[in-house]
Amino acid sequence: MLRINVGHILSKCFGFVREVQIKGKRFSVSSDLFLDALCGNISLTRTPSGILVAGDIEATSSTECGRCLASCLSTTLTGVSELYTLAHSEQSEFTIDENCVLNLGPLFRELLLVAEPILALCCSDCKGLCADCGANLNKDECECRKESINKNLSVVF
Ligand SMILES: [Zn+2]
Ligand SMILES: [Zn+2]
């Protein structure tokens, strides 16, 4: 899905644009990046040195909640603007291979790894884990919590 044959675009004149809709579920972008879903609208523009890839993509992947470690989904939205050159050049690290295949995988991987949210949460008011016993405070009220409340009360009175 991320490998697009662009032979027909390369045969057009400079400035030719083709819109591509990306839509996929449950696949690996690379060995270290698995997505639950990916969608986006990308335009491929023929330029003198190759093809300009531009648009927006939205990726959904499962991750761990930053507070309670429960599995949750995180959505990453990122803009795409990159030139794929016909031959290896200093203009871009991305090239179209000799079979006229433009592989979006390495580009998307790079963008999504950088755009990954720093702290993903299962819900905005996640209570997290108890620092003392490790209980998930979204599910149970642990004993150490009650104890510390009692201690506080005894200090007050
Ligand atoms: Zn959580
Ligand atoms: Zn506890």
Side-chain angles (χ1 to χ4, degrees):
M1 185 196 67
L2 296 177
R3 298 170 60 85
I4 301 173
N5 192 305
V6 292
H8 61 290
I9 300 176
L10 292 174
S11 66
K12 297 285 200 300
C13 8
F14 305 147
F16 175 83
V17 183
R18 180 155 162 241
E19 303 289 337
V20 179
Q21 209 179 39
I22 308 266
K23 218 175 173 84
K25 270 196 191 323
R26 306 194 64 76
F27 64 96
S28 299
V29 173
S30 58
S31 55
D32 58 353
L33 182 62
F34 179 83
L35 295 180
D36 282 285
L38 176 73
C39 62
N41 288 302
I42 298 290
S43 67
L44 305 174
T45 306
R46 175 74 165 112
T47 74
S49 46
I51 289 180
L52 179 71
V53 178
D56 291 294
I57 52 170
E58 188 183 307
T60 308
S61 55
S62 44
T63 182
E64 282 179 347
C65 170
R67 288 185 195 153
C68 73
L69 306 182
S71 64
C72 62
L73 288 177
S74 73
T75 299
T76 308
L77 199 73
T78 182
V80 180
S81 180
E82 190 68 51
L83 178 71
Y84 275 70
T85 51
L86 289 166
H88 283 280
S89 81
E90 286 173 1
Q91 271 185 288
S92 173
E93 59 179 295
F94 301 101
T95 51
I96 298 161
D97 74 12
E98 61 275 13
N99 300 316
C100 298
V101 171
L102 184 157
N103 186 2
L104 293 169
L107 170 63
F108 284 6
R109 174 185 174 275
E110 196 163 285
L111 291 170
L112 292 171
L113 288 182
V114 171
E116 197 82 48
I118 292 164
L119 186 67
L121 295 177
C122 60
C123 57
S124 58
D125 59 349
C126 172
K127 297 191 186 78
L129 301 178
C130 170
D132 295 318
C133 72
N136 186 336
L137 300 176
N138 296 311
K139 292 177 188 150
D140 13 73
E141 186 82 25
C142 66
E143 291 304 317
C144 14
R145 246 189 161 196
K146 285 176 193 150
E147 275 167 31
S148 69
I149 291 169
N150 291 340
K151 271 180 214 155
N152 289 344
L153 287 177
S154 62
V155 169
V156 172
F157 293 109

